[in-house]
Amino acid sequence: YIAFISTYVCLTAFDKEWRITPWGQKEVILQKLKDYVPGNPDIKSIRVFLHGPVGAGKSSLINFINSVFQGHITSIALADSAIAAESFTIKYQTHKIEKGKHGIYYPIVFNDVMGLEESSGKGVHKDDIINALKGHVKEGHKFNPMSPLSEKDHGYIKIPSSEDRVHCLVSVMPADKMAFLGKHVIQKMRDIRLAAFALAGIPQMVVLTRVDEACPSVRKDVKNIYLSKYIKEKCSAKLGVPVNCILPVKNYHEEIDLNEDMDVLLLRALRQMVDFADDFIKNIPLKITPQGN
């Protein structure tokens, strides 16, 4: 049934791409990202936080980004939700992209946690994501789905620095499951987005994953991505975000070698994350006091 719906929504297509895409310019975009230096000299690395429903592909996206920078398929983030639920359990972990040799990293870091779920008491608590946005969560803290982090907990940072805070919030959404997301998951994501906006306007965007599973034409050729009316219209209405803040990608899952067209889509999305975050850090204060939370 899901496959039938996915095929149906992709039957309608535009005559030409609705977004200009820099096909063939992978190395140009990649080099600009590798050369990136944060616009605020007091901040060494920008922090991008990925959240979304279970199975959206957050960890796969981080692996994808690292693979493109390293030039081969890698796996630095746990990408199996079932294993995560059994062992690592919603740990707050920072993922870095190694630069050339061990111990040197690019100034872009990523955080992700276990996905949001429809039922209460499962998945990460939305209040913990809001705490992470504010910079209150220590590295390695294990979240409790039943009880969000409080000021009394060991994993709570009372006075976060500007580097502890999140500089760009990315909602990772599975294109093939958009129509079947529960209303509680959608509401949790909206609450998180509203909280991000209230925090001095943390920039936000959506990365749409599993587009090849949602659209047969994209599965055949990833360059058909911006011919899809489904991506442009349905997802914007569902999430309540502007179309120019929705960036579709096709994650690696079967491939064992890099694909230039897939990489271009990913790098275009990453460039927007970096641009949004850099604009944000130029205007934030050096420290956030407890009263300013």
Side-chain angles (χ1 to χ4, degrees):
Y1 179 71
I2 294 177
F4 172 78
I5 293 293
S6 297
T7 301
Y8 173 76
V9 298
C10 283
L11 288 178
T12 55
F14 293 104
D15 294 330
K16 61 179 181 179
E17 288 188 328
W18 50 267
R19 178 178 289 164
I20 298 174
T21 311
W23 304 118
Q25 297 184 38
K26 170 186 172 179
E27 294 304 324
V28 174
I29 306 172
L30 179 59
Q31 191 58 53
K32 288 182 178 179
L33 287 166
K34 287 183 174 182
D35 293 340
Y36 168 71
V37 177
N40 185 332
D42 295 301
I43 294 180
K44 296 179 180 179
S45 298
I46 55 172
R47 185 177 300 274
V48 176
F49 188 94
L50 280 59
H51 78 123
V54 170
K58 299 177 294 298
S59 296
S60 295
L61 186 64
I62 293 173
N63 289 332
F64 186 179
I65 292 170
N66 188 62
S67 295
V68 175
F69 272 80
Q70 304 307 326
H72 59 89
I73 301 295
T74 66
S75 180
I76 62 170
L78 188 69
D80 189 315
S81 298
I83 296 176
E86 302 264 335
S87 56
F88 292 81
T89 314
I90 329 180
K91 181 186 290 186
Y92 192 65
Q93 184 176 359
T94 299
H95 302 284
K96 302 178 181 180
I97 305 173
E98 198 163 64
K99 183 178 182 180
K101 52 186 178 181
H102 183 69
I104 300 177
Y105 303 94
Y106 289 101
I108 310 167
V109 302
F110 300 88
N111 290 100
D112 74 327
V113 291
M114 188 178 177
L116 295 163
E117 297 202 35
E118 183 71 6
S119 303
S120 60
K122 292 185 178 181
V124 66
H125 198 289
K126 70 176 184 180
D127 289 347
D128 278 326
I129 293 182
I130 294 172
N131 277 326
L133 296 179
K134 296 177 180 179
H136 288 307
V137 185
K138 288 183 179 179
E139 178 76 8
H141 172 72
K142 290 186 177 181
F143 297 114
N144 182 345
M146 300 298 295
S147 178
L149 184 67
S150 72
E151 294 186 24
K152 297 180 181 179
D153 293 327
H154 177 70
Y156 189 89
I157 300 174
K158 292 184 178 180
I159 305 179
S161 69
S162 292
E163 285 198 356
D164 293 323
R165 295 186 65 189
V166 169
H167 306 128
C168 182
L169 174 66
V170 177
S171 302
V172 182
M173 302 294 288
D176 61 328
K177 300 177 182 178
M178 288 291 295
F180 304 95
L181 291 177
K183 63 180 181 179
H184 295 299
V185 169
I186 294 295
Q187 186 59 52
K188 289 175 184 177
M189 296 189 72
R190 286 178 175 167
D191 290 344
I192 292 165
R193 288 177 47 232
L194 287 172
F197 180 77
L199 291 169
I202 293 176
Q204 305 171 40
M205 60 179 284
V206 173
V207 170
L208 200 62
T209 59
R210 299 175 60 86
V211 182
D212 54 316
E213 297 295 327
C215 191
S217 64
V218 176
R219 190 180 310 127
K220 183 178 180 180
D221 186 349
V222 73
K223 285 187 176 182
N224 291 328
I225 194 84
Y226 289 123
L227 294 175
S228 171
K229 289 185 177 181
Y230 170 69
I231 294 171
K232 184 177 182 181
E233 298 170 358
K234 300 295 184 181
C235 296
S236 180
K238 182 82 171 181
L239 299 173
V241 298
V243 174
N244 63 1
C245 291
I246 300 176
L247 281 295
V249 302
K250 179 181 181 294
N251 280 353
Y252 287 107
H253 51 88
E254 296 178 346
E255 298 81 3
I256 59 173
D257 296 305
L258 298 181
N259 176 284
E260 181 165 331
D261 294 334
M262 290 171 60
D263 294 350
V264 164
L265 287 177
L266 182 279
L267 291 171
R268 181 63 190 85
L270 179 58
R271 191 180 76 184
Q272 185 150 317
M273 295 178 206
V274 171
D275 289 345
F276 280 5
D278 196 66
D279 288 342
F280 180 69
I281 66 173
K282 292 174 183 177
N283 299 302
I284 62 175
L286 295 182
K287 289 187 178 181
I288 307 299
T289 63
Q291 291 78 14
N293 295 339

